[in-house]
Amino acid sequence: LESYGLGETQRALPRILAESQQLLGLVSYLTVGVEEARAWFVPKGARAAEAAGAIHSDFVKNFEQAEIWSHADILRLGGKGACRKAGLVRQKGKDYEVQDGDVIEFRIRGGRS
């Protein structure tokens, strides 16, 4: 590990994953529900509608809006509800460029993800 610049105190897996994500040209976003949180990977530069399609192909054609939270704000304030109260939720359309680490809730015609 030392030959790769990792000392004994550094954990290798997070660095390997981050480097792999960068080499593959991917960004990750999160969906957070009551029972689970999940990370999704899309190509860097992907738009919100394309990111919704990573969850289910029907989400692309039925996309209405994306609500975007900062994961740092969620951790700092203690949840999505607190962020909403603080006015930190952004409403974006299908052309929004997904940023690495976004927490996204998609509004889909006929429901939500």
Side-chain angles (χ1 to χ4, degrees):
L1 290 176
E2 288 181 16
S3 64
Y4 292 102
L6 297 171
E8 288 182 31
T9 59
Q10 292 179 297
R11 298 187 59 198
L13 185 58
R15 182 160 174 204
I16 291 168
L17 292 174
E19 292 289 331
S20 298
Q21 186 177 332
Q22 183 179 359
L23 286 170
L24 293 169
L26 300 174
V27 296
S28 64
Y29 70 92
L30 304 162
T31 54
V32 179
V34 176
E35 295 185 21
E36 79 172 341
R38 182 164 177 177
W40 304 86
F41 293 90
V42 294
K44 192 172 197 159
R47 304 295 179 189
E50 181 181 352
I55 297 172
H56 195 285
S57 59
D58 284 349
F59 287 8
V60 176
K61 66 181 176 187
N62 294 318
F63 179 91
E64 287 186 347
Q65 186 178 50
E67 291 187 326
I68 314 292
W69 287 263
S70 158
H71 72 283
D73 288 340
I74 290 174
L75 292 174
R76 182 173 51 86
L77 296 177
K80 291 186 338 185
C83 289
R84 189 178 301 282
K85 268 186 161 177
L88 297 174
V89 181
R90 296 172 283 147
Q91 313 288 318
K92 298 293 182 177
K94 65 182 180 181
D95 291 328
Y96 169 75
E97 185 176 325
V98 175
Q99 301 300 306
D100 194 49
D102 280 346
V103 177
I104 305 177
E105 186 171 306
F106 296 104
R107 293 187 183 266
I108 306 301
R109 225 171 292 117
R112 275 186 150 177
S113 78

